[in-house]
Amino acid sequence: IGHNAQAEEGYISALSKTTLSGFVDTSLSLSEGGGDTALPGRVLYQGAEKMNGFNLDVVQLSLASPMDESDWAAGYAVDLLFGPDASQYSVSGPAAFNNGPDGDGDMDDVAVRQAYVNTRVPVGNGLDLKLGVFDAIIGYEGFSNRDNPNYSRNMAYNLQPFNHTGVLAGYQVNDLISVQAGVANTGGSAIADRADSTGAVSYMGSVAVEAPDSFGALAGATLYVGLMKFGGTGGEEQENIYIGSTIPTPIEGLSLGAAYDGISGAADADVFAGYASYQATDKMSLHGRIEYLDGDHGVLISSFDGAGAAVDDEMLSLTGTVQYDLWENVLTRAEVRWDNQVGDGEGLYDDGGDDVLTFTLNAIYSF
């Protein structure tokens, strides 16, 4: 009885440190291509079936107990997803990048985004360890729409893992430099999936650097370099490299960003993106994005020349977003996106068209 009482007291103490948060994400998307549009696909807009209608995108519920500042701190985090967008964590991304469908044809509406135990080891400035399922460490944009500058994702997002099952170590070298290194079961997003008989696993690492005050107008600018490498099925390697930067400007309220994503393995692609954000008023902000993708045939779309022969994918995309935060805890925005298939490729639409225009209204409540 004494042991049980002590255990119950410990559970109550741990529960008191747990926080509940999350968000509800909804949208209205209109596209001249409708459901026949190949480009927006399942990930950029979380489903071509979302075009020309109202949508519940996703509900996220997060339970967490953050680590404190003690030497042997511990905590945890769990992010649960409900709704259509949860399916990306069940059927994942392109098969060419080892994130292929699970084969059952289902679009599961419940998924685990993250679930890990977080601990600190008193080595140097403190070594933080995550063990379990955690977000991928590469990419300018992440899963949560509310944390991205635009509603739709960039093209590189479709070519990267979303999360990993493994262990990730983080270390703050000093006020300006931080590093991460980790190992995971695979290069894909299937939770607890195992590598093939070759025993290949996924390795990842990153370095983040922030410019000091001595850099004047560039003080606070950041440079981030991340790499993920996986032995791949049958020993074929998959590699994702990401270089990103955010840059303040002398113009009050204006910041710039840039990103490069290089993907190699079963298919190769290079994606370049530029960002601009302007805080016009306390409640209104403007966000723009320009992207260019050059990749193998089928890496994002299926391009063909006039004779019907397969050619490399080459895409240009422009996105503009107006965000206005009128209500407390509510993010509202309107987005216009234009995607254009350039070069010799044809077939963005089923009817052979080479561009698509999409308009989206987005409302997110965070709690």
Side-chain angles (χ1 to χ4, degrees), residues 169-236:
Y171 186 76
Q172 190 74 36
V173 179
N174 53 39
D175 291 340
L176 304 177
I177 302 174
S178 62
V179 296
Q180 296 182 101
V183 59
N185 290 340
T186 70
S189 302
I191 292 178
D193 195 14
R194 295 293 187 269
D196 59 18
S197 58
T198 65
V201 294
S202 172
Y203 298 96
M204 64 203 71
S206 69
V207 178
V209 181
E210 181 178 342
D213 294 339
S214 59
F215 276 53
L218 293 179
T222 61
L223 175 65
Y224 185 98
V225 179
L227 175 69
M228 192 280 292
K229 194 167 186 177
F230 174 56
T233 303
E236 184 173 13

Side-chain angles (χ1 to χ4, degrees), residues 205-293:
S206 69
V207 178
V209 181
E210 181 178 342
D213 294 339
S214 59
F215 276 53
L218 293 179
T222 61
L223 175 65
Y224 185 98
V225 179
L227 175 69
M228 192 280 292
K229 194 167 186 177
F230 174 56
T233 303
E236 184 173 13
E237 288 190 352
Q238 169 192 343
E239 184 175 280
N240 293 71
I241 183 170
Y242 163 72
I243 302 173
S245 179
T246 58
I247 308 166
T249 70
I251 302 175
E252 184 177 357
L254 177 65
S255 61
L256 304 176
Y260 164 76
D261 290 87
I263 302 98
S264 62
D268 298 338
D270 294 291
V271 186
F272 302 88
Y275 297 82
S277 294
Y278 179 65
Q279 191 69 42
T281 68
D282 290 342
K283 293 185 175 294
M284 185 176 71
S285 58
L286 309 175
H287 306 272
R289 177 180 62 202
I290 180 171
E291 305 174 74
Y292 172 76
L293 175 143

Side-chain angles (χ1 to χ4, degrees), residues 278-325:
Y278 179 65
Q279 191 69 42
T281 68
D282 290 342
K283 293 185 175 294
M284 185 176 71
S285 58
L286 309 175
H287 306 272
R289 177 180 62 202
I290 180 171
E291 305 174 74
Y292 172 76
L293 175 143
D294 185 11
D296 291 344
H297 170 78
V299 70
L300 187 63
I301 55 177
S302 295
S303 303
F304 301 91
D305 62 17
V311 298
D312 289 347
D313 292 348
E314 190 176 1
M315 298 296 306
L316 176 67
S317 178
L318 301 175
T319 305
T321 301
V322 178
Q323 177 175 320
Y324 200 87
D325 303 325

Side-chain angles (χ1 to χ4, degrees), residues 42-43 46 81-93 98-113 143 162-163 188-191 193:
R42 185 182 55 78
V43 176
Q46 303 294 1
L81 304 177
F82 304 88
D85 287 5
S87 63
Q88 72 168 271
Y89 285 90
S90 300
V91 297
S92 300
N98 295 307
N99 298 331
D102 55 14
D104 62 9
D106 296 331
M107 294 296 284
D108 302 318
D109 286 347
V110 180
V112 175
R113 174 185 171 185
F143 170 80
F162 307 134
N163 62 5
S189 302
I191 292 178
D193 195 14

